[in-house]
Amino acid sequence: MTGGTTNSHLGEQTLALLWERTRRQGDMPAFAKAIGAVLGAMRGEEDGEFSMTETVLSDPVLTNKVLRLANSSMYSAFGQHVNTVSKAVLVLGTEAIGHLALGLKLVEELSSGASDSTQAHVEMEKAVLAGLVAREIAATVRSPQTELAVVCSMLHTLGRMMVTFYLPEHWQKLQQRGGSGNEDAAARELLGITLEEIGMAAAQRWNLPGNLVTGMRSVAMPSDDAPADDAPANDTPAALPASDWVAGIATLSRHCAASLWNDDEAGAAEVARISAVFSPLLGLELEQVRGAIAQARETAAEELAIAPLSKPLERRARAMAQTRQRAAGNRILQSGLADMRDMVDSASPGQMVSAALETVYKGLDFSRAVAFVRNRRENRYAARMCFGSLPKEQLAAMSFEDAYEPNVFHAALNSDRVIFIENARDPKFAAKLPQWWKTGLAEARSFVILPLSANGQPTGFLYGDWDETFPEIQLSPTEFALLNDLRGLVVKAIERRHQLELVSSRAA
């Protein structure tokens, strides 16, 4: 184990400069003030239980997490009906809830990327990723120390975060001397103190609980070299004592996060090596550890957008382009609606359908948009008009009977509601797609159905889809409202025509 602080003059100078920078710049992204109330409750104030309840209830996200944990299988002995935070405090204890709250606050602060420094932001992302790894690994054995392990794992690189955030010029020198990822090797010489010691000094300065500081220690990684010829074949490292288990989880999580973050083959190989070395130390099966790390990686990429796992530059470029495209598209929908309002009292239903189809095709940037009309005499729906790349013979072949069938199109027509299908290629959704769609429109990844009903009877529908070249999409409430306004105008024209035909027939 390593820990403690240095007595060297250079190390004292480094810490003095660090505290001066924190005094002038403020504590690193709200760490101290964000967790002050939680720590106060954990320390057993005069009315500690009430204080913790009040602290939890002040944060809706934390409230949900606490109640979910109290009702989890880990605490099933207490029953599965914990409905109040007050009871959750009794079931879990202020310490477990405190660690849960600390972890949540640290994730909020770290993942917000409040630093303008690229290096500091990278170290913060790695800390959040380490917390995810720790949570997944500890959860595999339903450890009551899971939340403590999460917090300690995120704080494990606190020294690196402090130096990158407050002493960037020193960090640059460490990288020049030790190399990227190996800055600690040069820290003792250049700073007079290790990065781990800086982290512990900061934790003690913030008066973090002793069990957190203890969990921030690094466990020495045993050698994973092949045993000597005369060594026993089953010679494996001894498991860590219980008092060091959290520190072991935190050490493993920190190393994994540093390697996972790079998202390359070398990093993956290092994660495999580290997992094999630490699994026996922690008393865990290797497959358990590998599965937990894989889950943490997936969560980091999808939910927290940690770089470069989530390919942030590509994602940001797509998101910005899509945002601009959607805003422009909504303006097209609004302009088309204005034109349709002007013409609704004079245009034929066919003209209104044409205007509506053109508007949605352009406004939503569909790959294809098709208008289907119901022919009551033939009891069929048939495609009559199309925008986009769809051969005429293919369009002519798209028709189906109006008798109800259990598929998404009849469901839309019966409910008279706009239906949006995000993933038409989901195997579980295949049974809800009719054969005519699978034959003629299966290139679509997502699609929208706008049913048209006049006087309570379906008269047709508008269909539009996106293929795989379009970014994944979710329609906003604004877009649903515009689509409903649009189909309302088409229906108005159809009903007006029906009314005129009725008057004409009576006059005859």
Side-chain angles (χ1 to χ4, degrees):
M1 300 285 179
T2 60
T5 57
T6 181
N7 293 320
S8 76
H9 179 64
L10 179 57
E12 291 173 357
Q13 285 182 320
T14 298
L15 289 178
L17 176 60
L18 183 61
W19 308 147
E20 173 60 21
R21 295 272 178 92
T22 59
R23 186 187 65 79
R24 283 193 280 122
Q25 297 175 225
D27 271 318
M28 186 171 59
F31 269 12
K33 67 179 181 180
I35 62 179
V38 177
L39 291 180
M42 287 177 67
R43 291 188 183 115
E45 295 171 349
E46 186 174 346
D47 192 6
E49 286 75 14
F50 174 77
S51 175
M52 181 59 79
T53 300
E54 189 176 40
T55 299
V56 171
L57 288 173
S58 68
D59 187 331
V61 176
L62 179 58
T63 298
N64 290 333
K65 285 183 176 289
V66 166
L67 291 176
R68 193 182 310 133
L69 180 62
N71 285 287
S72 68
S73 58
M74 189 186 304
Y75 294 91
S76 58
F78 298 95
Q80 296 290 311
H81 305 288
V82 180
N83 300 311
T84 65
V85 172
S86 299
K87 184 177 179 180
V89 171
L90 293 176
V91 171
L92 304 176
T94 58
E95 185 174 20
I97 293 179
H99 292 145
L100 183 65
L102 281 173
L104 180 63
K105 294 298 182 185
L106 288 173
V107 168
E108 287 177 352
E109 296 301 332
L110 293 175
S111 60
S112 67
S115 170
D116 291 331
S117 163
T118 300
Q119 290 291 347
H121 185 68
V122 166
E123 293 303 322
M124 290 176 183
E125 286 193 339
K126 290 178 181 178
V128 175
L129 181 51
L132 287 174
V133 172
R135 182 181 301 281
E136 294 295 337
I137 292 176
T140 62
V141 291
R142 298 181 178 180
S143 170
Q145 295 180 299
T146 294
E147 304 307 331
L148 174 61
V150 170
V151 176
C152 291
S153 296
M154 286 192 286
L155 292 174
H156 220 254
T157 56
L158 180 57
R160 296 174 66 87
M161 289 187 281
M162 294 290 286
V163 174
T164 56
F165 193 81
Y166 292 110
L167 306 174
E169 71 281 13
H170 288 71
W171 184 258
Q172 187 175 8
K173 293 177 181 177
L174 290 175
Q175 286 196 313
Q176 291 172 347
R177 182 68 61 88
S180 180
N182 197 34
E183 295 83 4
D184 198 55
R188 176 72 70 183
E189 178 186 355
L190 297 180
L191 304 180
I193 185 173
T194 67
L195 297 176
E196 181 176 329
E197 289 168 346
I198 290 175
M200 287 192 163
Q204 291 164 349
R205 184 179 177 85
W206 293 342
N207 294 317
L208 293 183
N211 60 348
L212 288 183
V213 178
T214 299
M216 291 169 61
R217 296 174 301 164
S218 289
V219 171
M221 190 184 304
S223 172
D224 58 341
D225 294 336
D229 292 340
D230 57 348
N234 61 350
D235 187 18
T236 58
L240 291 170
S243 58
D244 289 339
W245 193 81
V246 168
I249 288 281
T251 304
L252 166 61
S253 300
R254 184 249 297 177
H255 283 300
C256 284
S259 298
L260 282 175
W261 190 89
N262 294 304
D263 193 33
D264 57 19
E265 291 184 5
E270 181 63 8
V271 168
R273 185 187 73 84
I274 296 168
S275 302
V277 170
F278 269 92
S279 295
L281 279 178
L282 298 170
L284 299 174
E285 295 293 331
L286 178 57
E287 289 307 311
Q288 278 183 298
V289 174
R290 285 175 173 169
I293 294 171
Q295 181 59 51
R297 180 193 182 282
E298 182 177 335
T299 301
E302 294 299 323
E303 297 183 14
L304 296 178
I306 286 181
L309 292 175
S310 62
K311 307 295 185 288
L313 294 179
E314 298 173 19
R315 176 179 289 190
R316 189 176 299 115
R318 288 197 305 268
M320 290 179 66
Q322 188 171 346
T323 298
R324 290 193 296 269
Q325 188 175 9
R326 297 285 286 278
N330 286 347
R331 288 193 292 271
I332 292 173
L333 291 176
Q334 290 163 349
S335 297
L337 275 168
D339 288 343
M340 291 173 66
R341 289 189 183 99
D342 290 340
M343 59 190 282
V344 66
D345 292 329
S346 58
S348 69
Q351 289 171 324
M352 290 296 289
V353 167
S354 177
L357 194 65
E358 179 184 357
T359 298
V360 296
Y361 175 67
K362 292 180 178 178
L364 292 178
D365 198 22
F366 283 136
S367 301
R368 296 166 300 196
V370 185
F372 287 77
V373 176
R374 183 183 186 185
N375 186 318
R376 291 180 180 275
R377 289 188 298 272
E378 297 180 4
N379 298 320
R380 296 186 70 80
Y381 289 94
R384 287 289 181 263
M385 188 184 307
C386 174
F387 289 99
S389 57
L390 197 64
K392 289 184 178 181
E393 61 275 12
Q394 194 170 330
L395 181 69
M398 287 194 297
S399 68
F400 58 95
E401 294 183 1
D402 62 5
Y404 180 81
E405 293 180 4
N407 64 54
V408 67
F409 290 90
H410 280 289
L413 291 163
N414 278 13
S415 66
D416 193 29
R417 295 176 59 186
V418 175
I419 288 185
F420 166 60
I421 303 301
E422 182 180 1
N423 182 12
R425 298 175 181 178
D426 185 342
K428 293 179 290 187
F429 188 69
K432 299 178 181 179
L433 293 168
Q435 187 58 45
W436 65 264
W437 184 93
K438 295 176 181 177
T439 301
L441 299 170
E443 298 90 347
R445 184 183 63 196
S446 308
F447 63 81
V448 177
I449 305 169
L450 282 70
L452 303 172
S453 294
N455 301 314
Q457 293 295 318
T459 62
F461 62 94
L462 306 182
Y463 165 92
D465 64 29
W466 298 274
D467 61 23
E468 69 281 352
T469 63
F470 196 87
E472 292 184 10
I473 189 171
Q474 280 287 347
L475 293 183
S476 69
T478 298
E479 287 161 331
F480 273 108
L482 290 170
L483 294 177
N484 277 314
D485 288 347
L486 181 145
R487 71 191 188 103
L489 290 173
V490 175
V491 168
K492 183 178 179 180
I494 295 172
E495 291 180 340
R496 182 176 60 83
R497 170 61 65 86
H498 286 175
Q499 186 66 29
L500 291 174
E501 290 174 349
L502 181 62
V503 171
S504 177
S505 65
R506 286 176 177 173

